[in-house]
Amino acid sequence: MGTICVTGTASGIGAATKALLESRGHRVIGVDLHDADVTGDLSQPADRERIVAEVTSACGGALDGLVPCAGLSTPAPNRLIVSVNFYGTLAVVNGLRPALAKGTDPAVVMVSSNSTTMTPGLPVDEAMAYLNSDESVMVERYADPAAFLAYPAGKLAIAFWTRMNAPGWMKYGIRLNAVAPGVIDTAMTRPLLDDPNMKSALEHIPIPRGRWGKPEEIANAIGFLVSPDSSYVVGQVLFVDGGTDAMLQPTAHPHPLPGGR
Ligand code: NAD
């Protein structure tokens, strides 16, 4: 049994992940704005540093797993979407790397989204901008409240970051993978049904499974990726979306290596 830090444990996927991991006998150090072992605001640099310090202290300097799940989406302000979903997430992941390196079979499960592959025309450059820019630049880039790419581009950047860093992090013994949930029934998505435009957009998403996902179904995938059951899985982005990604782009993945004859 290990010690695993999960952010966003006060609600939705984070809460379901905490419950699953605790049912398996792990100790979970929960992080959230409220109702958590460590409270703080991941949009604030000073809080990020304190959260990392408090989690490191709570686990005695050795952490076996990390699930940086805290996040938000529309109608939250883009400023928060940018700061929490990408920069806050990476501050926690990078800040806890030394503790993870001292853990047993350590694994990190990032939380991306299937908005990465179902947002028509999402420019890859938007994700690269996240990866190559300071936080203030990206907050400014999405200053227009209607700049709806802030969320999917940030989640695409999380997926890219996972794949870019997974090989290198193996030298610390840390496995990096990600889940990409589809539409999941949580406090993030439920209120969207009150907006007729959003409701209509959500109802047009093709879901072969025929329904929205449940937080527990994402937790089950996270539980696999954070455990030694997935000991040979490195740098993967697991879509848990009821089949939407496969339906929209059946031949996009696996993508053969360019070159050769
Ligand atoms: P949720 O709203 O139920 O839970 C999110 C949690 O994050 C909340 O407890 C909230 O307090 C916490 N949080 C928000 N801002 C924070 C901050 N500044 N500092 C610390 N904690 C903060 O949402 P959810 O649906 O469980 O989403 C969890 C993750 O899954 C998010 O990263 C989200 O982008 C991702 N995701 C969700 C869906 C979906 O359909 N629900 C789909 C794809 C990806």
Side-chain angles (χ1 to χ4, degrees), residues 11-13 32 40-42 69 71 84 111-112 151 155 181-182 184 186 189:
S11 177
I13 296 167
D32 209 305
D41 183 345
L42 286 165
C69 190
V84 176
V111 180
S112 180
Y151 182 86
K155 291 296 185 180
I184 309 303
T186 69
T189 46

Side-chain angles (χ1 to χ4, degrees), residues 17-52:
T17 300
K18 174 174 150 63
L20 177 79
L21 294 174
E22 287 180 342
S23 77
R24 292 181 179 172
H26 297 293
R27 174 182 171 219
V28 172
I29 302 172
V31 177
D32 209 305
L33 289 167
H34 50 81
D35 299 314
D37 303 297
V38 174
T39 54
D41 183 345
L42 286 165
S43 73
Q44 299 298 319
D47 274 25
R48 294 169 188 161
E49 274 185 38
R50 183 179 50 75
I51 287 167
V52 166

Side-chain angles (χ1 to χ4, degrees), residues 108-111 162 166 175-179 225 230 233-237:
V108 178
V109 185
M110 308 292 282
V111 180
T162 303
R175 288 185 306 109
L176 292 181
N177 289 289
V179 289
L225 289 173
S230 60
V233 183
V234 176
Q236 297 306 303
V237 181

